[in-house]
Amino acid sequence: GNCWMTQNLAYDLVKGKVLTPSDTDVTSDWVVPSTTGTVIPNQGKRLPSEVGSWNLGEYVLKTGLTGVYCIVNTGQDPEECTLLQDVAAWKPTFEATPNTLNKEDSNSNFITIDSERKIYDAHYLMGNYYTFDAATAESAISLASTGAETDANKLVDAPDSICPKGWDLPKNGENQVTLQPFDLKDSFYRLLLAYGYPTSEKYKPTSENTAGYVSALYGPHQNVFSAPMYFVASGMISRDHGDFRWAGGYHFEASKTVPALDNYQYLFIANSSTITPSGPWYWRNDGVSIRCMAR
């Protein structure tokens, strides 16, 4: 019963701008502390509460999901990753055009660009990358610092986000030990369930399979990168390594859920063989994609 965005958010933050409850998913005015960057950041101090965001340009993957990882070192242009196509001067459409690859290419069912006509399927824009505290307008910092939650296994949800008014970030589970990821309150799990994932009985929430700390759904999952979900293997900006990595290999997407007493976040993670609806990820200052969900 939820409405999801089918494109990665590409909203540029501007230092000093005030986001208000009248047009944004914040409960009170938030003054943006840093402007969205346009270059891959250098490896630097790993502050979990860093408010960072990056717009590397208007890129799409040339071949949908290739399974070939693109790792671009600091200082390089993203276009040096041969998997990416700069479509800033192209025409956006919402049609897949499978005539751009050889017939033997197994990814031809969700090709994103038509180089002959200079058009691309706008669902597949890479979008911007955000740290957790940028995505949530720093609203989760106080949840951990006030001591309101004392259970180390308890997960808390950031109350605010940079999504448009009426939209929110997806939610992950409530307890990272007993309910992850088979919690029906997990937005990503429910989305997958609505479109046929998981199809096997062993992946449905039962008393026998809810005790694991980290669980994933295995199998050929390439069609989560096609209609109607249109996930993009957009990779992430790693503050640990100081680079842009895993484009063409992994889709990482932020939720609003974090452990109350630790500095990591919970992501939706997908590649061609594995889906992790609720994956703990160090740290909160890695830049990942966002898709908002209507309240």
Side-chain angles (χ1 to χ4, degrees):
N2 290 318
C3 179
W4 290 69
M5 290 184 175
T6 55
Q7 284 182 283
N8 290 354
L9 193 68
Y11 176 64
D12 290 345
L13 298 175
V14 178
K15 184 177 180 178
K17 181 176 180 179
V18 180
L19 301 188
T20 70
S22 64
D23 56 9
T24 316
D25 180 43
V26 294
T27 53
S28 60
D29 289 357
W30 180 58
V31 181
V32 179
S34 60
T35 297
T36 294
T38 58
V39 296
I40 300 166
N42 292 320
Q43 182 175 355
K45 55 185 179 181
R46 294 179 52 78
L47 294 176
S49 60
E50 178 184 355
V51 181
S53 57
W54 297 273
N55 178 347
L56 302 183
E58 294 186 38
Y59 290 95
V60 296
L61 291 169
K62 291 183 180 179
T63 57
L65 182 72
T66 66
V68 179
Y69 301 163
C70 166
I71 297 178
V72 183
N73 293 325
T74 304
Q76 291 180 316
D77 190 289
E79 202 168 1
E80 293 185 26
C81 171
T82 57
L83 297 180
L84 300 181
Q85 173 68 57
D86 185 349
V87 294
W90 290 27
K91 180 182 178 181
T93 69
F94 292 97
E95 62 178 25
T97 55
N99 61 335
T100 59
L101 290 185
N102 296 327
K103 292 181 180 179
E104 60 268 19
D105 194 299
S106 61
N107 299 303
S108 60
N109 61 325
F110 52 95
I111 297 310
T112 64
I113 68 172
D114 184 335
S115 57
E116 293 182 1
R117 293 191 289 163
K118 299 293 183 183
I119 65 173
Y120 68 97
D121 186 334
H123 290 106
Y124 291 102
L125 279 171
M126 304 289 276
N128 287 9
Y129 299 81
Y130 305 89
T131 66
F132 178 81
D133 283 300
T136 59
E138 299 182 281
S139 62
I141 298 175
S142 60
L143 294 178
S145 62
T146 58
E149 300 289 350
T150 58
D151 182 356
N153 295 327
K154 184 68 175 178
L155 302 182
V156 295
D157 295 328
D160 298 0
S161 78
I162 61 172
C163 293
K165 183 178 177 62
W167 296 76
D168 192 8
L169 288 178
K171 171 186 173 65
N172 258 309
E174 293 187 330
N175 186 293
Q176 65 194 43
V177 172
T178 60
L179 294 176
Q180 191 236 8
F182 306 104
D183 181 358
L184 289 180
K185 294 182 180 179
D186 182 325
S187 303
F188 295 111
Y189 179 80
R190 293 181 62 148
L191 176 67
L192 295 169
L193 197 65
Y195 286 104
Y197 292 96
T199 57
S200 172
E201 289 293 326
K202 69 179 181 178
Y203 294 132
K204 293 182 179 179
T206 67
S207 59
E208 288 79 22
N209 64 19
T210 56
Y213 177 65
V214 179
S215 298
L217 311 178
Y218 296 96
H221 296 308
Q222 289 191 356
N223 58 343
V224 302
F225 295 92
S226 59
M229 287 184 271
Y230 294 108
F231 287 123
V232 181
S234 50
M236 70 162 50
I237 290 179
S238 171
R239 288 292 290 168
D240 186 19
H241 299 91
D243 62 18
F244 169 53
R245 55 179 43 218
W246 295 317
Y250 284 87
H251 172 78
F252 299 92
E253 186 174 332
S255 75
K256 63 180 179 180
T257 305
V258 291
L261 301 179
D262 213 331
N263 289 319
Y264 57 93
Q265 60 180 316
Y266 274 73
L267 303 179
F268 173 80
I269 306 170
N271 62 19
S272 61
S273 61
T274 306
I275 297 176
T276 305
S278 184
W281 185 269
Y282 286 93
W283 292 74
R284 297 185 190 180
N285 60 356
D286 285 331
V288 298
S289 302
I290 296 175
R291 294 196 183 193
C292 303
M293 188 174 68
R295 288 189 177 275

